[in-house]
Amino acid sequence: MTRKELEKLRGDVDRELARTIERDKKAAMAAAKKAAREHGFDLSDFTEEPKPKKARKKAAKKPSAAPKYANPADKSQKWTGKGRQPQWFKDAIAAGKKPEDLAI
């Protein structure tokens, strides 16, 4: 075969290959749609872009508990009585004070 004949043959093969690929894609799509229908779905249920999740509404911020205890040495240091005890509270208890003595 000459070069021109081979190039024409290549072009014919490329066109036929493109047609075959399109035909195979259509057959695969039809088979996929049929399989989805058999299971009670529509193929678009699987091929659509995932929808963005709705933004959750932020819960209303709960008001913080009112402080129950204050540091006698520094009244700006307060503690609600919930959570970890602050060091100044631990030190005061270790020094012999009662929690009632530190109450606001």
Side-chain angles (χ1 to χ4, degrees), residues 54-70:
K54 291 183 180 179
R56 291 185 181 178
K57 291 183 180 179
K58 289 187 177 182
K61 194 171 185 179
K62 294 180 182 177
S64 59
K68 291 184 179 181
Y69 306 100

Side-chain angles (χ1 to χ4, degrees), residues 20-81:
T20 303
I21 289 172
E22 285 303 311
R23 187 175 56 241
D24 290 347
K25 281 183 183 180
K26 287 179 182 178
M29 182 62 75
K33 286 180 181 179
K34 180 181 176 188
R37 273 193 312 270
E38 288 173 359
H39 292 281
F41 295 100
D42 185 60
L43 190 59
S44 65
D45 294 339
F46 303 105
T47 58
E48 290 179 358
E49 290 293 320
K51 295 178 182 175
K53 293 183 178 179
K54 291 183 180 179
R56 291 185 181 178
K57 291 183 180 179
K58 289 187 177 182
K61 194 171 185 179
K62 294 180 182 177
S64 59
K68 291 184 179 181
Y69 306 100
N71 184 353
D74 182 2
K75 294 290 182 183
S76 68
Q77 294 179 335
K78 296 178 181 171
W79 180 50
T80 62

Side-chain angles (χ1 to χ4, degrees), residues 69-78 88-93 95 97-99 101-104:
Y69 306 100
N71 184 353
D74 182 2
K75 294 290 182 183
S76 68
Q77 294 179 335
K78 296 178 181 171
W88 60 262
F89 187 85
K90 291 179 186 178
D91 293 341
I93 298 298
K97 292 197 176 195
K98 295 182 182 179
D101 298 336
L102 302 171
I104 297 177

